[in-house]
Amino acid sequence: MDIGIDLGTANTLLYVRGQGIVLNEPSVVAVKEGARHALAVGTEAKETIGRTPGSITAIRPLKDGVISDFEAAEEMIRHFVRKAVPGRRPRTRMVICVPSGVTQVERRAIVHASQRAGARAVHLVEEPMAAAIGAGLPVAEPRGSMIVDIGGGTSEVAVISLGGIVTSQSLRVGGDRLDAAITDYVRREHALLIGERTAEDVKVGIGSAWPVPGADDFEERTFTVRGREKVGGLPKTVELTVREVRGALDEPVEAIIAAVRTTLEECPPELSGDVMEHGIVLTGGGALLPGLDLRLASATGIPVFVADNPLDSVALGCGKCVEDFDGLERVMSAA
């Protein structure tokens, strides 16, 4: 049994050889104090965030794309594998995507947690490579392809050619940082405390990085936010505008743009010409932020395109590695 796992900070996707993507659930585990096993994992656990009694905690086992809670991560991987592939799973082999900037210690933690969860063999693939493969870029050709994968915990920027990453930046800024920017803004400007789920709803509802041409109705939208007063502690409601939220998201968006600029500066001249000709491809959940492609194109002077299936690009690329697992093992052993 061969399984590919996009072990994301926000969501985990499982790809089973011959079946495609069979699971897509939040990377959340709900545990009770003193209990050995999780009370809930995935979608069911996410519903408990911010709503649990003191004895129950909703944990995100991954932070910034790497494992921050080893036991919870092991439990989560085991649960998802059992859910995606019920019954016996003989000789399970896993391909797991990791950020390009992870340390050797972090790599070993992911491998160890996967082995404890039942994997016989584990191979790690860097996320920008998997995203580029999943987005359909010609990664094996002698041509520069630039990918920007904006996930929940990290943003991966890379130029790829001849099956390898030529230059890359791994930035620990992603969807979670965008949510935090909204939370900070509402607390600072409106003296209102809101949770991460509310901040995510605001981002999805009226978040943007650049005014979108022809979307005047979007610019006039507002979002009603309910939370608790910072000082008095009483319930309070405020209306946020699209322009307010865009300003709140400016700092993390600029950090992503700066990483793209740095990657372009480090790119060999010949490959820079390829990127200029063929453009930059955006993947990950952050690629869905309205106007991000336009803002990035304005900042770099290079065409920017959103992948056809940005949310699943990493998992699909991981899946292509799974479908040719034997070839992947030969490449890994040769390296």
Side-chain angles (χ1 to χ4, degrees):
M1 177 63 66
D2 296 337
I3 299 174
I5 303 180
D6 174 12
L7 198 61
T9 303
N11 287 76
T12 295
L13 287 76
L14 261 69
Y15 184 108
V16 176
R17 186 174 187 175
Q19 299 180 36
I21 297 175
V22 298
L23 182 142
N24 182 353
E25 293 200 21
S27 302
V28 183
V29 178
V31 296
K32 188 172 184 178
E33 185 178 351
R36 295 183 59 188
H37 300 290
L39 291 177
V41 179
T43 303
E44 185 181 350
K46 186 176 181 180
E47 295 299 320
T48 68
I49 292 180
R51 303 175 185 273
T52 59
S55 60
I56 298 175
T57 305
I59 299 172
R60 284 188 158 185
L62 292 102
K63 183 178 180 181
D64 298 334
V66 296
I67 292 176
S68 58
D69 189 311
F70 184 85
E71 291 183 357
E74 179 187 327
E75 185 79 19
M76 183 181 73
I77 294 171
R78 182 183 291 109
H79 174 87
F80 285 155
V81 170
R82 287 175 177 171
K83 186 173 182 178
V85 190
R88 295 183 67 245
R89 293 167 297 279
R91 298 172 59 82
T92 301
R93 300 185 295 182
M94 295 183 184
V95 176
I96 300 179
C97 295
V98 297
S100 58
V102 297
T103 65
Q104 288 300 319
V105 172
E106 291 165 341
R107 285 174 177 267
R108 285 197 294 270
I110 293 172
V111 171
H112 188 43
S114 303
Q115 290 172 336
R116 290 281 300 270
R120 176 180 63 86
V122 181
H123 290 304
L124 304 183
V125 176
E126 293 184 335
E127 281 181 10
M129 178 62 76
I133 294 172
L137 296 181
V139 297
E141 296 181 8
R143 191 193 94 181
S145 298
M146 189 166 191
I147 190 84
V148 179
D149 177 51
I150 306 171
T154 62
S155 292
E156 305 287 324
V157 185
V159 175
I160 298 170
S161 179
L162 283 173
I165 296 177
V166 179
T167 181
S168 67
Q169 295 285 320
S170 183
L171 185 69
R172 299 202 171 184
V173 173
D176 289 348
R177 178 78 174 271
L178 296 175
D179 297 343
I182 294 173
T183 302
D184 293 343
Y185 174 83
V186 173
R187 183 179 66 247
R188 184 176 64 252
E189 299 297 328
H190 295 281
L192 182 68
L193 303 178
I194 61 173
E196 59 183 76
R197 290 183 61 187
T198 300
E200 184 179 8
D201 290 341
V202 172
K203 178 184 67 179
V204 173
I206 61 171
S208 64
W210 191 265
V212 181
D216 294 339
D217 58 331
F218 178 81
E219 292 295 315
E220 300 304 319
R221 289 183 187 176
T222 60
F223 196 100
T224 302
V225 176
R226 297 175 178 84
R228 179 165 55 85
E229 284 183 329
K230 182 179 178 181
V231 178
L234 297 175
K236 179 181 177 182
T237 300
V238 299
E239 291 281 334
L240 297 179
T241 67
V242 169
R243 292 174 180 82
E244 273 189 289
V245 176
R246 185 182 302 140
L249 297 177
D250 189 66
E251 182 180 349
V253 168
E254 276 298 321
I256 294 171
I257 292 173
V260 173
R261 285 190 176 127
T262 301
T263 305
L264 288 169
E265 290 170 1
E266 296 176 353
C267 183
E270 292 80 3
L271 298 184
S272 294
D274 294 336
V275 173
M276 179 68 73
E277 179 181 356
H278 300 287
I280 300 169
V281 175
L282 293 180
T283 65
L288 299 177
L289 186 68
L292 180 59
D293 54 340
L294 300 175
R295 182 164 177 177
L296 189 54
S298 175
T300 61
I302 298 173
V304 179
F305 309 96
V306 178
D308 291 337
N309 195 354
L311 289 172
D312 297 343
S313 293
V314 173
L316 291 172
C318 189
K320 290 184 179 180
C321 295
V322 167
E323 295 293 348
D324 187 23
F325 206 108
D326 295 333
L328 178 64
E329 285 190 319
R330 287 194 297 271
V331 172
M332 292 294 183
S333 61

